[in-house]
Amino acid sequence: MRLFLLTCLMAVFPVVFMKSPIFGPAEVSSVEGNLVSIKCYYPATSVNRHTRKYWCRQGSRGVCTTLISSEGYVSKDYLGRANLTNFPEEGAFVVNISQLSRDDSGRYKCGLGISSRGLSFDVSLEVSQGPDPQDDIEVYTVDLGRTVTINCPFKRENSQKMKYLFKETGELVINTNYVNPNFKGRASIVIQGTNQLMFNVIIKQLKLSDAGIYICQAGDGSSSNKKYVDLQVLEPEPELVYGELRGSVNFDCALGPEETNVAQFLCRVNSQGSCDVVINTLGKRDPAFEGRILLTQRGNGRFSVLLTGLKKGDAGHYLCGAHPGGQQKEGWPIQAWQLFINEETVIPSNPSVVKGVTGGSVSLLCPYDRKESNSIKYLCRWEGTQNGHCPLLVSSDGEVQEEHEGRLALFKEPGNGTYTVILNQLTTQDAGFYWCLTNGNTRWRTSTELQIVDGKPSLKVPENVTAVLGKSLELQCHFPCKYYAFEKYWCKWSNGECRELPSQDKSPSQALVTCDQNNRFISMTLNSVVKEDEGWYWCGVRKDHNYGETAAVYVAVEEVAVGSREVSPANTNPGAEEKVAEPTVRVIENKAVVNPRLFAEEGAVVEDTGDQEPGIRASSDTSSSEGQSRSSKVLLSTLVPLGLVLTAGAVAVWVARARHRKNVDRVSIRSYRTDISMSDFDNSREFGAVDNMGAAPVTQETVLEEKAEAMATPEGNTEPEEPKRAKRSSKEEADMAYSAFLLQSGKIAAQGQEEPNEV
């Protein structure tokens, strides 16, 4: 019953269980007679761009009455003074309301679709009474931390007299010879000249406590000239910033030319009301934003802060400003931001951390806006300098950083919404943060951390290979069993891309790829090598268009083999111990075969360490010839016993058959002739034989050879008569001969095992 009630409540009140992706200002304040603009953001999907937008006022019973909508409806209270404008490219719409009155104060909603649904955001609008209009009071409205210039006119007879600025309470702020300590360094009087009948009072770095009524005065007594000024210091209204989860946002701060040489900062307001520095131009940076923040100074007091890899916890109230200490202080200019994180993001989820091993590789999957499939894709590496820096490493238009040649490739996948960047030949210096970005939508910038951990790469290829012009070259890349079901490929690296080489069943080409699944390696063959074949080659694995591990080898092309060295074929048994390394290049049928083992120098011996990289140890110059001699001995010791065993077995069988051909019937069936003992027919059922009763009758011809005994004993050769023995069938004699053959084979095999283990 309780479950049923809970289900009903969830169906009736879905808004309680769902966070709305609509975002706008929580509080808006203004004064009577002014205009207010309210901007509301929504997820920029194709449906949301075209759906109905509305602004409604909430009643006491929770009903929200629509005042204006994007479909052209305007209530009578808003006729002539309100409008709603949609900006689909920004994913936002703006409601402008002019001629405000105190009756406009209340609770409102901006939303999409129907006002009774949950796709909305609550906004509180407060309209206060404006100052009483007085002819002799001038109003100055200035933002907190900014500068105000108050104009004070006077008559000519007071041009040479003292100039003052008082507070309405009578407190002197400044005169020609004095400055109040509370305004020291912030207030000054400027007199344009004797011909000007006006002086100016300038107050910088305004504080909230500076607000109030001021009196500027020229001269003393009844002949003095006075002017009343109403100074209003306002806290900056936070500007809304709409961010996508895992995406990026940009804070643009414009503080004015006077703050050009002052330290700049971005801070985040905490629950106690103070502002914690996120980043500043003095080098301070919050560890929570390490690897995903940049500060760029643009001159004239302007700077921007880019924040990527957005998390849910990044939402909140931010301030950007300037101060010599690089942090917020009262009286210094600031701008306010309210960051909202849309958790119903269209940016796909990717690992924020990838791990690689020294000498191995990693694949970074980078998302981009599908509407911008033709945009240029980049990868940059974040550097933790004073303000943060991210130099470009590779781009989709063929640019690649020089030190990453042969190591870094960008694979474009048009229409898939992602592109892949592969970095191989990893070193410990490659650890850090990498950013994916395009020259299009700045919200689609993502960050990934690369960590280098202990381990060895799974794919094994030779380090460097020298090919001979006009010859054929075969490269082999060994892979472990875990990649058996993966697609394997070879590609040739060039300008930040790796062009895949065609396989044999695609089209005839000089570069062919074949794979031997049984021996777990993929080979690449270059037929009739030319100079243009020189360069970096990669072998790799992938599955369902997701790129996995890669390994790189550099192929140099020369006219002749250097030092007449040869490359041995690949060792397909990684577990077998290699006594002596063969030459690095060996020409067989005009084909140079490349050993995947890593050779150090001519005459080196490779020690196989299982799944680990092959070790290398030095050997003497005569080790190669000794190894060849030992191999010949091993071959001889194997073939000779085997030949003797086969010969002995054949002789034993022939003697047995010749001795007992007597009483043997010869059966001729068509073109096949087979000697069968008559006793075999009698005993056939004892061995499970079945008569072929269903077979068609075959003409058989049985001839009893009277000369069987003469054939068994050659002419001229007489032997003494032996006592008669019980006759055995030819089958029994054959069994005995076969048993003797097995005993002889076992003896020879045992003798072979007592020899040194060289096989």
Side-chain angles (χ1 to χ4, degrees), residues 656-666 675 708 711-712:
R657 292 183 60 186
R659 182 176 298 177
H660 296 281
R661 294 185 68 87
K662 186 186 301 183
N663 299 327
V664 173
D665 297 327
R666 174 171 300 168
D675 290 335
M711 293 175 62

Side-chain angles (χ1 to χ4, degrees), residues 32-95:
E32 289 181 308
N34 284 0
L35 179 144
V36 66
S37 293
I38 301 166
K39 191 173 187 178
C40 294
Y41 291 88
Y42 58 85
T45 63
S46 58
V47 175
N48 290 341
R49 292 190 194 99
H50 299 91
T51 194
R52 173 179 179 265
K53 285 81 178 173
Y54 65 87
W55 172 260
C56 66
R57 183 166 185 169
Q58 301 184 60
S60 58
R61 297 183 180 181
V63 178
C64 200
T65 304
T66 301
L67 300 177
I68 189 171
S69 74
S70 59
E71 295 179 345
Y73 173 77
V74 180
S75 68
K76 63 178 183 178
D77 293 336
Y78 273 31
L79 282 175
R81 67 186 189 100
N83 61 72
L84 187 152
T85 306
N86 184 32
F87 297 93
E89 66 280 357
E90 297 182 15
F93 65 94
V94 177
V95 178

Side-chain angles (χ1 to χ4, degrees), residues 550-607:
T550 61
V553 55
Y554 187 82
V555 175
V557 177
E558 297 182 358
E559 293 185 1
V560 293
V562 178
S564 298
R565 296 196 299 174
E566 297 180 347
V567 177
S568 64
N571 183 5
T572 59
N573 185 10
E577 180 180 0
E578 297 180 11
K579 295 296 183 181
V580 180
E582 296 186 8
T584 56
V585 176
R586 180 173 61 204
V587 178
I588 303 177
E589 296 180 358
N590 200 29
K591 177 184 295 184
V593 183
V594 180
N595 195 322
R597 301 280 180 188
L598 309 179
F599 294 94
E601 58 183 3
E602 185 175 6
V605 176
V606 179
E607 295 180 343

Side-chain angles (χ1 to χ4, degrees), residues 628-645:
Q628 294 177 359
S629 176
R630 184 177 301 173
S631 299
S632 300
K633 292 180 180 179
V634 171
L635 182 62
L636 183 62
S637 63
T638 302
L639 296 179
V640 170
L642 182 60
L644 292 176
V645 169

Side-chain angles (χ1 to χ4, degrees), residues 366-385:
C366 301
Y368 66 89
D369 192 346
R370 292 190 180 185
K371 299 188 300 295
E372 301 176 344
S373 59
N374 295 325
S375 61
I376 302 178
K377 286 80 176 175
Y378 303 95
L379 181 79
C380 69
R381 181 177 180 179
W382 183 87
E383 296 179 356
T385 56

Side-chain angles (χ1 to χ4, degrees), residues 646-697:
L646 295 176
T647 303
V651 170
V653 173
W654 182 84
V655 170
R657 292 183 60 186
R659 182 176 298 177
H660 296 281
R661 294 185 68 87
K662 186 186 301 183
N663 299 327
V664 173
D665 297 327
R666 174 171 300 168
V667 180
S668 175
I669 303 176
R670 292 188 179 180
S671 63
Y672 297 94
R673 296 180 63 84
T674 306
D675 290 335
I676 304 175
S677 173
M678 295 300 294
S679 63
D680 291 344
F681 289 99
D682 297 335
N683 300 328
S684 62
R685 295 185 181 275
E686 297 179 5
F687 294 93
V690 179
D691 293 336
N692 190 4
M693 300 298 296

Side-chain angles (χ1 to χ4, degrees), residues 691-758:
D691 293 336
N692 190 4
M693 300 298 296
V698 180
T699 303
Q700 300 182 1
E701 181 180 341
T702 305
V703 180
L704 299 177
E705 298 288 345
E706 296 293 338
K707 299 180 180 180
E709 184 176 358
M711 293 175 62
T713 305
E715 294 182 4
N717 184 12
T718 61
E719 295 181 354
E721 184 177 356
E722 295 181 358
K724 293 184 178 180
R725 300 177 183 177
K727 292 184 178 181
R728 292 190 179 97
S729 66
S730 61
K731 182 177 186 303
E732 293 175 346
E733 295 292 338
D735 291 341
M736 294 178 61
Y738 181 71
S739 300
F741 167 72
L742 293 178
L743 290 174
Q744 184 67 15
S745 301
K747 291 180 181 180
I748 295 176
Q751 293 175 0
Q753 291 179 356
E754 295 175 0
E755 295 291 331
N757 188 12
E758 297 180 353

